[in-house]
Amino acid sequence: MNMRVSSPVPGTLAESKAARVSILAAQARLSLRARGDLVPLSAALGLSLPDRIGTRSATGEIEVLRLGPDEWTILAPIAEIDRLIAACAGVYVSHPHSLVDISGREVTLLIEGPQAAELLTLGCARDIETIAVGEGRRTIFDGVTVVLWRDAPDRFRMVIWNSFVSHLGHLLETGCKELAADIA
């Protein structure tokens, strides 16, 4: 049986003319570590595991982002978690790997609006424009490790640990207000 820890309540954290920051509804999150032939795991998951760091693939509501040479994050509806774990367990003997349910430790912030990318630069030294639409990266935001998913030129998802929601939420709220003050 999987133990679930509740995430912060979904809803808007900050909103201005510049950007809106919201907490998204909880979803299943799995951390996959594997090497070698990925075909058995791809078949078990029902999608091709991305082969380049920062790229992602999706089928239906299941989405996978490659974070490192042997590391992926899988996002899926909560109802799918047990099926995904069982499917990967079915190939474990022939293809050893590590699959860990990290659903309870993280939350996703949605950052969208005309100045969403600029808002992210307030706490991220990375050049946000180098993250192509459809890709994602692990990075640091105001000293906190986060994963950024770029869904559109003006729409991002930021995955953070639950314990940092208050800290980063406050910083993003302040940034929304500051950016909005500069909009004519």
Side-chain angles (χ1 to χ4, degrees):
M1 174 168 44
N2 289 314
M3 190 86 161
R4 304 280 195 274
V5 176
S6 62
S7 293
V9 177
T12 301
L13 286 177
E15 187 169 10
S16 73
K17 295 180 284 185
R20 178 177 46 232
V21 179
S22 307
I23 297 176
L24 295 180
Q27 62 188 143
R29 301 168 197 280
L30 298 169
S31 175
L32 173 65
R33 303 293 300 259
R35 292 186 177 169
D37 181 14
L38 301 175
V39 172
L41 285 167
S42 290
L45 292 168
L47 57 84
S48 294
L49 289 170
D51 60 358
R52 192 171 51 85
I53 295 170
T55 58
R56 63 189 198 197
S57 63
T59 184
E61 295 182 83
I62 300 171
E63 196 171 10
V64 179
L65 173 66
R66 188 165 193 165
L67 292 174
D70 66 350
E71 181 182 7
W72 295 262
T73 292
I74 302 166
L75 302 179
I78 292 173
E80 292 288 314
I81 195 164
D82 292 329
R83 181 188 67 77
L84 293 171
I85 290 171
C88 289
V91 300
Y92 185 81
V93 172
S94 63
H95 193 76
H97 60 276
S98 171
L99 185 68
V100 179
D101 180 358
I102 57 171
S103 303
R105 89 171 179 200
E106 297 175 337
V107 64
T108 302
L109 301 181
L110 176 63
I111 302 160
E112 59 187 342
Q115 291 185 282
E118 188 175 349
L119 176 61
L120 291 172
T121 66
L122 298 177
C124 185
R126 173 184 286 278
D127 181 356
I128 299 301
E129 294 305 323
T130 65
I131 303 172
V133 172
E135 293 191 355
R137 299 289 188 278
R138 177 182 285 140
T139 190
I140 303 294
F141 189 85
D142 197 45
V144 176
T145 300
V146 302
V147 176
L148 284 179
W149 301 64
R150 189 168 200 170
D151 297 319
D154 61 352
R155 183 181 166 98
F156 298 83
R157 285 177 284 159
M158 179 188 288
V159 177
I160 61 174
W161 284 25
N162 285 324
S163 57
F164 291 104
V165 170
S166 178
H167 170 68
L168 294 185
H170 178 71
L171 178 66
L172 291 165
E173 177 183 17
T174 301
C176 277
K177 290 176 184 174
E178 288 176 356
L179 289 172
D182 288 339
I183 295 176

